[in-house]
Amino acid sequence: MATKLGILAGGGPLPGRIVQSCLAAGREVFVIAFENESDPKTCEGVPHVWMPLGKVGATINRLKAENCTDVVLAGPVRRPSFSKLKPDMRAIKLLGKIRKAAGQGDDAILSVLVEELESENFRVVGADDLLGDVVAPEGILSDRVPGEIDQKDIELGVRVARALGALDVGQAVVVQQGVVLGVEAIEGTDALLGRCQDLKREGQGGVLVKLKKTQQERRADLPTIGADTVRHAAEAGLNGIAVEAGQSLILDRAEVVAEANRLGLYVAGIKA
Amino acid sequence: MATKLGILAGGGPLPGRIVQSCLAAGREVFVIAFENESDPKTCEGVPHVWMPLGKVGATINRLKAENCTDVVLAGPVRRPSFSKLKPDMRAIKLLGKIRKAAGQGDDAILSVLVEELESENFRVVGADDLLGDVVAPEGILSDRVPGEIDQKDIELGVRVARALGALDVGQAVVVQQGVVLGVEAIEGTDALLGRCQDLKREGQGGVLVKLKKTQQERRADLPTIGADTVRHAAEAGLNGIAVEAGQSLILDRAEVVAEANRLGLYVAGIKA
């Protein structure tokens, strides 16, 4: 029988899906919800505690007290300003490690956190270990297939997303006809798609490309799309979405594909 | 006596400043204003013609007919979609060259255009050849001086802007406390600063870093800031602005410095 799972719940729908999946399988969970980050719906009706991001010691102690042996980090967490972080002693110790890590980015923080959890003998698992069929497969999932212009836009998007990812800036890029319309930093993919609605050139579509950052800890914050992403991409007037096969998550794949087909977009799992 | 100057007027205030400067010096000008790009105020009261971007042959013929021997490309021009470009025969020939150029970005277009103008014996001059004292000097121009956190933010901003520039994506980045808040693509610096207002973390400020793209034709679209940039950076709650000394333009430097001092921001010309 599977042991109790501690869920460190970042933003977006991913943590909630993990909760539902565990409940359906009869697995016990305990949710650490982060103030200003987690969706309150994630922990409704399940054992949980709200925690400020900086309370790393308290988080670890609570996971131990709850007898969680496995832990998952799910959903994006935006790094707050230092002045707002209010770190406890354990977080201060980690900040030293994080500052030493190159780049000082979100990835460094997550990697240090994963290490720290492992040093306490937690088993840190990926969201894809818990959700069946969530990893993006290779190939075109939709009825629509990317055309020649789309292929070139995807290639440019991959180049730009790689460069951004290497610098720990963001995961997503929108390209149309060889022009980079927008690039994601901390505003998130929905906000990026929102502004691209006004920046789009007349004529043929464009693509949202979303890739794992190069240095990214695989068990934390893999690029994720869902049916909402498809709807927002359609509102932005794009032709489709490309994610990296094997390195990104598609939530509710059947719904994603149905929405893409209804709205006439392509969804492609690419080898990048 | 200086010869007649043809001004290819992109967006923003730079082309207007060049017009004013020439008029003040008694130099004749002829403005090519681009539809949907140029500020109509640029060519008010001076000889000009409105031209669609794709009419390269017509533009060159008009510059010849007006006896312009010198030409300046001033202000940003956003590449329209192919379907809207409606290129004339000469532009179609250039599109072939541009497509061969790596990246297919705006820089490639501008470089090909400069080459083309030179092949017709126009002398292509930079905005900085025409405006005295407009190139950003090295050093701190404002009363406020960047602190330790600002220095680190500037360094990170330079790294990210370099990577973006190498891919011909954009010139500007906003960084706060080691977090990249936003990255410019085609939306422009004002829109970038606008959205960073909501993305800023609590506490210490942040910086706008604006750099020349690595491959950028020096005589076209150098990074430019003006007093409005300072005001928008202040509205976004930033501590200051850093531009590359010798490689970027500061319009109305006295006003920029006065606004920075009034609003408590730093303005730094850096060696990047």
Side-chain angles (χ1 to χ4, degrees):
Chain A
M1 165 149 181
T3 53
K4 190 167 176 181
L5 177 71
I7 301 175
L8 303 190
L14 183 61
R17 291 299 190 291
I18 293 173
V19 168
Q20 296 311 318
S21 164
C22 287
L23 294 184
R27 184 175 189 180
E28 272 192 290
V29 300
F30 186 80
V31 177
I32 307 280
F34 292 111
E35 289 169 9
N36 304 315
E37 300 292 331
S38 312
D39 182 341
K41 277 181 291 188
T42 301
C43 46
E44 249 171 39
V46 291
H48 70 276
V49 64
W50 284 92
M51 197 71 86
L53 258 185
K55 304 297 176 207
V56 176
T59 296
I60 287 177
N61 290 339
R62 187 62 187 261
L63 289 170
K64 283 184 187 171
E66 296 288 340
N67 294 315
C68 297
T69 49
D70 292 2
V71 173
V72 65
L73 287 68
V77 171
R78 295 161 305 170
R79 181 146 60 101
S81 68
F82 296 135
S83 61
K84 211 186 173 183
L85 190 59
K86 300 199 182 77
D88 61 14
M89 282 310 296
R90 184 132 196 174
I92 287 169
K93 197 185 99 189
L94 289 180
L95 279 178
K97 284 193 195 179
I98 289 164
R99 286 218 174 96
K100 272 179 219 150
Q104 293 203 6
D106 294 334
D107 295 344
I109 293 186
L110 292 171
S111 300
V112 169
L113 190 57
V114 166
E115 250 178 57
E116 195 69 8
L117 288 163
E118 288 181 329
S119 79
E120 292 282 352
N121 295 318
F122 292 106
R123 199 169 74 96
V124 182
V125 297
D128 49 326
D129 297 322
L130 298 163
L131 296 174
D133 224 29
V134 75
V135 175
E138 192 176 352
I140 314 298
L141 304 180
S142 51
D143 294 341
R144 180 169 186 171
V145 168
E148 200 187 326
I149 291 177
D150 297 315
Q151 292 288 3
K152 285 190 179 170
D153 283 347
I154 292 171
E155 282 165 31
L156 177 55
V158 166
R159 280 212 303 281
V160 173
R162 278 272 172 275
L164 281 175
L167 288 160
D168 194 17
V169 173
Q171 300 178 326
V173 175
V174 176
V175 179
Q176 183 199 12
Q177 296 184 17
V179 177
V180 179
L181 297 188
V183 155
E184 181 191 44
I186 60 164
E187 73 276 26
T189 307
D190 287 347
L192 169 69
L193 288 170
R195 76 171 181 270
C196 285
Q197 214 167 340
D198 295 325
L199 297 171
K200 209 179 145 267
R201 305 349 234 151
E202 258 181 44
Q204 270 287 332
V207 64
L208 168 70
V209 176
K210 203 168 175 184
L211 297 187
K212 183 168 98 66
K213 298 186 223 162
T214 325
Q215 322 286 336
Q216 190 170 325
E217 163 60 57
R218 210 188 170 286
R219 288 167 292 180
D221 191 24
L222 278 187
T224 303
I225 65 164
D228 275 346
T229 318
V230 175
R231 286 187 280 269
H232 292 145
E235 282 160 19
L238 303 185
N239 283 356
I241 299 173
V243 294
E244 196 174 355
Q247 303 287 345
S248 51
L249 308 181
I250 301 180
L251 290 183
D252 310 313
R253 194 188 300 179
E255 193 190 346
V256 164
V257 172
E259 281 298 88
N261 290 342
R262 186 176 71 84
L263 296 163
L265 273 70
Y266 67 81
V267 176
I270 57 170
K271 280 280 169 217
Chain B
M1 166 147 179
T3 53
K4 191 168 175 181
L5 177 71
I7 301 175
L8 304 189
L14 184 61
R17 291 300 189 291
I18 293 173
V19 169
Q20 295 313 316
S21 164
C22 287
L23 294 185
R27 184 175 188 178
E28 273 193 289
V29 300
F30 185 80
V31 177
I32 307 279
F34 292 112
E35 289 169 10
N36 303 317
E37 299 291 332
S38 311
D39 182 341
K41 276 181 290 185
T42 301
C43 45
E44 248 170 39
V46 292
H48 70 276
V49 64
W50 283 93
M51 196 71 88
L53 258 184
K55 304 299 176 207
V56 175
T59 296
I60 287 177
N61 290 339
R62 188 64 187 262
L63 289 170
K64 283 183 186 171
E66 297 287 340
N67 293 315
C68 297
T69 49
D70 291 4
V71 173
V72 65
L73 287 69
V77 171
R78 293 160 307 169
R79 181 147 59 102
S81 68
F82 296 136
S83 61
K84 211 185 172 185
L85 191 60
K86 301 202 179 74
D88 62 15
M89 281 310 295
R90 184 131 196 177
I92 286 169
K93 196 186 101 190
L94 289 181
L95 280 177
K97 284 193 193 179
I98 288 164
R99 286 220 173 95
K100 274 179 216 152
Q104 292 203 9
D106 296 333
D107 295 344
I109 294 185
L110 291 172
S111 299
V112 170
L113 190 57
V114 167
E115 250 178 57
E116 197 69 7
L117 288 163
E118 288 181 327
S119 79
E120 292 282 353
N121 294 318
F122 291 106
R123 199 169 74 96
V124 182
V125 297
D128 49 327
D129 296 323
L130 298 163
L131 296 174
D133 225 29
V134 75
V135 175
E138 192 177 353
I140 314 299
L141 304 180
S142 51
D143 293 342
R144 181 169 185 170
V145 168
E148 202 188 324
I149 292 176
D150 298 314
Q151 292 288 3
K152 285 189 179 169
D153 283 347
I154 291 171
E155 282 165 30
L156 177 56
V158 166
R159 281 211 303 281
V160 173
R162 279 272 172 273
L164 281 174
L167 288 159
D168 194 17
V169 172
Q171 299 177 326
V173 176
V174 175
V175 179
Q176 183 199 13
Q177 297 184 16
V179 178
V180 178
L181 297 187
V183 154
E184 182 190 45
I186 61 163
E187 75 276 26
T189 306
D190 286 348
L192 169 68
L193 288 170
R195 74 171 182 271
C196 285
Q197 213 166 337
D198 295 325
L199 298 170
K200 213 181 141 262
R201 304 351 232 154
E202 258 180 43
Q204 270 287 331
V207 64
L208 167 71
V209 176
K210 203 167 175 184
L211 297 186
K212 183 168 97 69
K213 298 186 224 163
T214 325
Q215 322 286 335
Q216 190 172 325
E217 164 60 55
R218 211 189 170 286
R219 288 167 294 180
D221 191 25
L222 279 186
T224 303
I225 64 164
D228 275 345
T229 318
V230 175
R231 286 187 280 270
H232 292 145
E235 281 160 20
L238 303 185
N239 283 356
I241 299 173
V243 294
E244 197 174 355
Q247 303 287 346
S248 52
L249 308 181
I250 302 181
L251 291 184
D252 311 313
R253 194 189 300 179
E255 193 189 345
V256 164
V257 171
E259 281 298 89
N261 290 342
R262 184 176 72 83
L263 296 161
L265 273 71
Y266 67 82
V267 176
I270 57 171
K271 281 280 169 217

